Amino acid sequence: MKQKQGFVLREVCGEHVIVGEGLGTINFNKLISLNETSAFLWKKAGEMGDFTVDSLTAALCEEYEVGEEQARKDVAAMIAKWQEAGIVE
């Protein structure tokens, strides 16, 4: 998988949000708010280019004190939300 082009992570009023760059892609009803951990995963996914549940799980376990099983479940759930929002392909 990879992030769809044009979607970027921004900090707005202390909150992490994913927005589409360019006026044509912004729908303010569909801003995606991220917590600290999911913002970390979005940044890592962008650095990787192509990413998988396995690659993001490894990054999450390396950065945070979390077991692999829990990390994999959390990463899979986050990716599913990204897919539902249409920001990854």
Side-chain angles (χ1 to χ4, degrees), residues 9-83:
L9 180 67
R10 298 279 187 241
E11 191 168 327
V12 179
C13 298
E15 298 288 324
H16 298 286
V17 293
I18 297 173
V19 296
E21 287 186 323
L23 293 176
T25 60
I26 295 177
N27 178 346
F28 289 101
N29 294 323
K30 299 247 183 189
L31 289 178
I32 299 164
S33 181
L34 304 178
N35 65 22
E36 191 73 29
T37 306
S38 53
F40 166 79
L41 290 172
W42 183 261
K43 289 176 191 174
K44 279 296 182 186
E47 292 171 7
M48 292 175 184
D50 288 326
F51 63 90
T52 63
V53 171
D54 289 341
S55 63
L56 288 183
T57 297
L60 188 61
C61 288
E62 188 176 305
E63 184 71 16
Y64 295 93
E65 291 183 24
V66 61
E68 186 177 345
E69 184 178 332
Q70 184 63 50
R72 183 174 306 286
K73 185 190 301 185
D74 293 345
V75 166
M78 189 75 253
I79 290 173
K81 288 180 182 180
W82 293 346
Q83 288 173 317

